[in-house]
Amino acid sequence: MKNIQQLNPKEFRALIRKGKWDKPTAGLAMGYAQANLVILPQKHAFDFLLFCQRNPKPCPLLEVLEPGEFRTKFLSLDADIRTDIPRYHIYRKGKLHKTVKEIRSFWKPDFVTFLLGCSFSFEEAMLRSRIPVRHIEENKNVPMFITHIPCKPAGLFHGPMVVTMRPIPSNKVTQAVQITSRYAWVHGAPIHIGNPSMIGIKDLRKPEFGDPVTIKKGEVPVFWACGVTPQAVVMKAKPDLCITHAPGHMFISDLLNEELAIP
Amino acid sequence: MKNIQQLNPKEFRALIRKGKWDKPTAGLAMGYAQANLVILPQKHAFDFLLFCQRNPKPCPLLEVLEPGEFRTKFLSLDADIRTDIPRYHIYRKGKLHKTVKEIRSFWKPDFVTFLLGCSFSFEEAMLRSRIPVRHIEENKNVPMFITHIPCKPAGLFHGPMVVTMRPIPSNKVTQAVQITSRYAWVHGAPIHIGNPSMIGIKDLRKPEFGDPVTIKKGEVPVFWACGVTPQAVVMKAKPDLCITHAPGHMFISDLLNEELAIP
């Protein structure tokens, strides 16, 4: 067998489909876009699609499937959304009900699947330009914070924006803005630079999700919209049923990160 | 009274609301974004929103309102979508039923309003960089062609992409791509450059909509996705009811074109 690092997205999805990989996907199939998953019953699909349209930075839609459809057409031509993600979370009325490795037995013909962009795409570009990505250096989860910036509500769905924080050396902040601006379909440019209290963050050492990371002297905290936002908003709305990927256990697409970038 | 050219969007919408302006809006409130209008009953709203998500170049959504809502929140804070557009077309089962100056008496609580970007925004930027825009020079409507490029279907909605054509001097084609790329939310970069037959266009002198324009020696035909696409697709789907702006009679927003541009 090939080394795990050498598998392409198709080979990786096959491994996941067979139940042979149920761990996080960070660092796998480098160069290819990974996606967040949200599945909702059709009765909530218009409101959620509208929520994403109104909040493209935290909710960058890569692909939305027709009701009942579980095969992607854009992110891949041979993927099955019911089996090709390492771990799923099943929520009932906003509470985690079960963690499973496939969802074929839960599937209903009114399920609508949303796949959303992920910051892994722009982190790769930052690293290529020698901009440090601290949580990768420290082998941690990216620190995430709930801000006091409200998302634009849509129907059932409303709530504050969740952001990720990456400490950037002050002489590289401009370049970090320029690089991530190119990735408009995977969270894009920062939401805020410099002053956590201005967006309602009290203590950078106490993220709401993920791990705290070291901020070195001369580094500026830079904040990007985070894909946890739509999940937090959906949980708050307490739909009868919602299925997501387990955090970090993403869908690996056949699309190159560069194909998601503005020229 | 101020000269018509000097009115700002708010003043213009007030004039339209009073029924005192029912002509096309090209060249008015320069600098401000104008928008295409599509209103559909709620039962078709998810499919149409999905169609726009899948086809962002011909269908660049600027704002979508909740079912029944007729006040915009993003494009303007004081606009009424039922009265603030100079002329409306009411379609029944895909056929033009009536042209009216306001739609208050037709309004239903299940109407969903979609406002989509318009190429006026990037034409202004082209002119500022001395790239000629022929149909403006010749005081005509932009020539539009039905291509053989299929849009990605969604539910009821499917059909070919409609494009606009602008002849560009060959030494300015690169710059035309660069400038319009910045306007990703108003059709963005060209769909095709140079060879009409490659996208299914037989004769540049015979546009399906609008007027033919002069192509001078040394000019290259350049094609952009056109906001007539969603209208053509909706008519083909023959919903019981659909309301649009009359061609050229757009919604004038308070948003600057520059606010729609990528930095």
Side-chain angles (χ1 to χ4, degrees), chain A residues 50 54 64 66 74 152 154-155, chain B residues 50 54 64 66 152 154-155:
Chain A
L50 190 56
R54 289 185 180 161
V64 183
E66 310 272 315
F74 174 64
K152 291 182 192 163
Chain B
L50 190 55
R54 289 185 180 162
V64 182
E66 310 273 315
K152 291 182 190 163

Side-chain angles (χ1 to χ4, degrees), chain A residues 20-39:
Chain A
K20 293 186 177 165
W21 182 273
D22 62 355
K23 293 194 283 286
T25 51
L28 299 178
M30 290 296 280
Y32 290 91
Q34 299 196 15
N36 294 292
L37 173 75
V38 174
I39 298 174

Side-chain angles (χ1 to χ4, degrees), chain B residues 196-235:
Chain B
S197 68
M198 281 189 68
I199 56 172
I201 298 173
K202 290 212 180 80
D203 189 345
L204 289 179
R205 291 163 305 180
K206 294 180 184 163
E208 268 93 5
F209 313 103
D211 307 310
V213 296
T214 311
I215 303 181
K216 297 181 185 170
K217 211 181 148 194
E219 288 183 338
V220 176
V222 182
F223 301 89
W224 281 266
C226 173
V228 164
T229 312
Q231 291 206 15
V233 157
V234 168
M235 295 320 130

Side-chain angles (χ1 to χ4, degrees), chain A:
Chain A
M1 199 176 117
K2 281 191 197 177
N3 182 301
I4 217 81
Q5 298 294 337
Q6 296 168 318
L7 296 181
N8 68 31
K10 191 183 169 128
E11 292 164 334
F12 231 105
R13 289 192 306 265
L15 201 68
I16 294 168
R17 200 174 303 149
K18 288 178 197 151
K20 293 186 177 165
W21 182 273
D22 62 355
K23 293 194 283 286
T25 51
L28 299 178
M30 290 296 280
Y32 290 91
Q34 299 196 15
N36 294 292
L37 173 75
V38 174
I39 298 174
L40 282 166
Q42 191 168 5
K43 66 176 170 179
H44 300 308
F46 176 75
D47 282 355
F48 188 67
L49 187 52
L50 190 56
F51 185 84
C52 295
Q53 190 275 325
R54 289 185 180 161
N55 300 282
K57 279 198 153 188
C59 311
L61 286 174
L62 295 181
E63 182 164 10
V64 183
L65 306 185
E66 310 272 315
E69 189 55 67
F70 46 78
R71 297 201 176 272
T72 57
K73 283 185 185 165
F74 174 64
L75 290 178
S76 166
L77 288 174
D78 67 1
D80 183 333
I81 228 61
R82 303 170 305 171
T83 53
D84 290 8
I85 284 163
R87 275 182 182 277
Y88 300 81
H89 276 180
I90 300 180
Y91 292 86
R92 295 197 185 273
K93 298 201 186 290
K95 298 260 179 237
L96 182 62
H97 168 70
K98 228 176 192 175
T99 299
V100 292
K101 285 169 70 171
E102 55 104 342
I103 56 167
R104 274 178 300 186
S105 57
F106 296 91
W107 191 261
K108 296 241 169 70
D110 75 330
F111 281 5
V112 179
T113 296
F114 300 82
L115 292 154
L116 299 104
C118 153
S119 54
F120 292 172
S121 298
F122 71 63
E123 288 178 347
E124 229 178 82
M126 287 169 77
L127 290 172
R128 270 204 309 275
S129 294
R130 292 197 179 130
I131 296 180
V133 180
R134 186 61 33 78
H135 64 275
I136 296 180
E137 289 172 5
E138 299 187 341
N139 201 19
K140 289 176 175 173
N141 283 326
V142 66
M144 291 165 263
F145 301 88
I146 300 175
T147 68
H148 67 199
I149 304 168
C151 292
K152 291 182 192 163
L156 264 192
F157 302 110
H158 60 94
M161 195 186 296
V162 180
V163 297
T164 55
M165 187 280 290
R166 292 167 187 78
I168 306 291
S170 59
N171 65 346
K172 296 205 167 186
V173 170
T174 299
Q175 204 188 357
V177 173
Q178 289 168 332
I179 289 173
T180 57
S181 293
R182 290 186 62 221
Y183 296 85
W185 286 274
V186 281
H187 303 311
I191 286 294
H192 183 77
I193 297 168
N195 187 346
S197 69
M198 280 190 66
I199 56 171
I201 298 173
K202 291 212 179 78
D203 189 345
L204 288 180
R205 291 163 304 181
K206 294 179 182 163
E208 268 92 7
F209 313 104
D211 306 311
V213 297
T214 311
I215 304 181
K216 297 182 185 169
K217 210 181 147 195
E219 288 183 339
V220 177
V222 182
F223 301 88
W224 280 266
C226 172
V228 164
T229 311
Q231 291 204 16
V233 158
V234 169
M235 295 320 131
K236 209 170 157 173
K238 301 188 173 50
D240 290 345
L241 186 76
C242 174
I243 302 177
T244 69
H245 65 290
H249 299 64
M250 319 288 280
F251 175 74
I252 301 175
S253 83
D254 290 336
L255 214 65
L256 291 165
N257 289 323
E258 282 313 295
E259 293 179 278
L260 290 174
I262 292 163

Side-chain angles (χ1 to χ4, degrees), chain B residues 21-81:
Chain B
W21 182 273
D22 64 354
K23 293 194 283 286
T25 51
L28 299 178
M30 290 297 280
Y32 290 92
Q34 299 197 15
N36 294 292
L37 172 76
V38 174
I39 298 174
L40 281 167
Q42 191 169 4
K43 65 176 170 179
H44 300 307
F46 176 74
D47 283 354
F48 189 68
L49 187 52
L50 190 55
F51 185 84
C52 295
Q53 191 274 326
R54 289 185 180 162
N55 299 282
K57 280 199 152 187
C59 311
L61 286 174
L62 295 181
E63 182 164 11
V64 182
L65 306 185
E66 310 273 315
E69 189 55 67
F70 46 79
R71 297 200 176 273
T72 57
K73 283 186 185 162
F74 174 63
L75 290 178
S76 166
L77 287 174
D78 68 0
D80 184 332
I81 227 61

